[in-house]
Structures are given as C-alpha cells and as structure tokens.
C-alpha cells in the first residue's frame, strides 16, 4: 500500500506589536493566510495603547483580543515602559528573548526599524532583532531556566508607507483570497476606537491592492527580511514581480 503523503507543517509565527492595533494594520492579511492554512500564530503586544488619542487602555485591550480571535491567533500583553515611553535596554531585549524561548517559533515578525514612524515601532523592531540573537545564546545567565532557541527567519512589517525600509527588497505575500481579505478587514474593524478617528482600513487595503497590482494579483502584503533568504534550489524561489 502506497503511504499517504502529508502536507508540510506551516511555520509557527510569533508576531510582536508595540500597540494593540499594530499587527492587524501592519500584517493582518499575512496572519489570516497562515492561520487559514493551519498555521499557529501568537501575538505579543508590548503596551495597552495608554498614550493614544482615542480609546481607553481597557477598550483597546478588548479590541485587540477580539481582533486576534477573528484572525485565529492567540495573544498576550507584556509591560515594558508603556506607550510612547519605550526605551532600548538590554533588560527589555532579554525579557523578549525569554518570550521567544518560551514560544519557540520558527518565524518572527516585528515592526520595521525605520525611524520615520511612531518611535515605539522602530525601537521595538530593534529590540526584537537583538532578542532573537540573545535567545540562541545558551550562556545568558538571565535565561538559563529556558532552553536556547534559534529561529529560522526574522521579518519586519510596516504599519505605514513611511515605515517601509528603502534598502531591503521585500517579499510579497499573496492575500487575495476573499476569505483572507474578509478576516483581515474584520480584525481591523475590531479596533473601533482607532478606525473611528481615521480611515485606517482603506489605507491598508489600498496599500495591499497596490502591492497586489505590482505582483499581478489582487492583494499582497510586504514583509522585509532581516537576513538574506536561503533556498535549497531555484525551484523553491517562486515567482517575481514583472518588470514593465
């Protein structure tokens, strides 16, 4: 009897956000694609949006939990310095490395390190990059209680067009499926306190449509690799953007 082939498991994703809505606006379509394909995704949110102009911390936490559920992800909140007060500290990188060791993801996604955006985004991106390295150092005394862990890839997402790195060629993830777009849109709508102040949803959908047009598909989202991608063969590299 011929053995039944099993599809490869999707990589487990650990995604960090500085504020309760960053992940949904910055890479929610990617999350929906992964979870709808059977992947496991976990969010770590590093503030409760307490310095924002709209919505209370309690409201924003509730919105984030609802959005994560709509996307099929799990979520936790951690305390660093608070919204608008994030500082780059070794202690923060070590704390984040401990989370990486606990969750043990294959892939991490974090805000980009471009400075022309909310300062918490850029600082958190740099801290996550440091934490991913610290997570693999077995001799780090503060983390000796957790087994070291090496991730496969670190990607950055951009919450706004200004936050897109200009010196990194992105990978484009096709999120054109109506089921993906629907789940992503619903997750963004869950952040009612934020979308009532500005049409963030249309901004993100427009960005995805433009990326999709560039790639010859309906909608796409850009992720920016921290390190060069490695493939076993050219057959694994997929398609590319068509040049006009």
């Amino acid at each position: 009897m011929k053995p039944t082939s099993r599809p490869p498991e999707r990589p487990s994703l650990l995604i960090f956000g500085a504020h309760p809505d960053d992940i949904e606006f910055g890479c929610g379509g990617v999350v929906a694609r992964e979870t709808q394909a059977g992947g496991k995704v976990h969010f770590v949110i590093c503030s409760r949006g307490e310095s924002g102009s709209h919505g209370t911390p309690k409201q924003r936490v509730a919105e984030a939990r609802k959005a994560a559920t709509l996307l099929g992800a799990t979520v936790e909140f951690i305390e660093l310095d608070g919204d608008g007060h994030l500082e780059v500290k070794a202690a923060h990188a070590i704390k984040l490395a401990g989370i990486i060791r606990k969750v043990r993801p294959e892939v991490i996604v974090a805000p980009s390190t471009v400075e022309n955006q909310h300062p918490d985004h850029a600082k958190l991106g740099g801290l996550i990059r440091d934490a991913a390295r610290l997570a693999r150092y077995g001799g780090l005394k503060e983390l000796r209680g957790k087994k070291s862990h090496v991730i496969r890839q670190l990607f950055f997402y951009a919450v706004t067009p200004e936050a897109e790195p200009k010196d990194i060629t992105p990978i484009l993830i096709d999120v054109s499926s109506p089921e993906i777009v629907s789940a992503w849109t619903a997750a963004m709508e869950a952040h009612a306190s934020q979308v009532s102040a500005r049409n963030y949803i249309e901004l993100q959908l427009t960005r995805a449509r433009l990326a999709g047009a560039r790639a010859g598909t309906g909608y796409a989202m850009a992720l920016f690799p921290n390190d060069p991608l490695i493939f076993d063969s050219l057959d694994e590299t997929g398609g590319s953007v068509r040049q006009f």
Side-chain angles (χ1 to χ4, degrees), residues 64-232:
R65 293 192 187 281
K66 179 180 178 181
T69 299
L70 289 167
L71 289 174
T74 55
V75 62
E76 67 176 292
F77 293 81
I78 65 169
E79 297 292 339
L80 294 178
D81 296 313
D83 183 8
H85 297 82
L86 184 61
E87 296 183 12
V88 177
K89 304 175 184 176
H92 289 345
I94 292 169
K95 181 174 183 175
L96 294 165
I99 293 172
I100 293 170
R101 287 191 179 189
K102 177 186 72 173
V103 179
R104 310 191 72 76
E106 293 185 42
V107 177
I108 292 175
V109 184
S112 81
T113 59
V114 174
E115 291 186 358
N116 187 22
Q117 57 175 322
H118 192 298
D120 287 354
H121 297 176
K123 291 174 183 176
L124 181 61
L127 283 167
I128 298 304
R129 183 170 53 198
D130 293 345
R133 286 190 170 90
L134 294 177
R136 68 180 188 238
Y137 297 158
L140 195 64
K141 64 180 182 179
E142 294 91 339
L143 297 178
R144 284 178 184 163
K146 298 184 177 74
K147 185 179 178 181
S148 61
H149 179 68
V150 180
I151 66 169
R152 198 174 76 195
Q153 289 290 346
L154 167 62
F155 293 103
F156 297 111
Y157 65 86
V159 178
T160 61
E162 294 79 12
E164 297 179 3
K166 300 300 186 286
D167 57 344
I168 302 176
T169 299
I171 65 168
L172 297 178
I173 308 297
D174 186 352
V175 296
S176 300
S177 160
E179 293 79 12
I180 292 173
V181 175
S182 177
W184 176 29
T185 302
M188 290 191 287
E189 289 173 342
H191 292 282
S193 65
Q194 306 309 299
V195 300
S196 65
R198 183 180 174 188
N199 196 351
Y200 290 107
I201 295 174
E202 186 56 32
L203 169 63
Q204 304 306 342
L205 291 175
T206 298
R207 291 175 67 200
R209 282 193 290 266
L210 289 171
R214 181 183 176 198
T217 188
Y219 293 83
M221 299 199 80
L223 294 178
F224 301 85
N226 183 62
D227 298 299
L229 302 179
I230 300 175
F231 302 96
D232 289 334

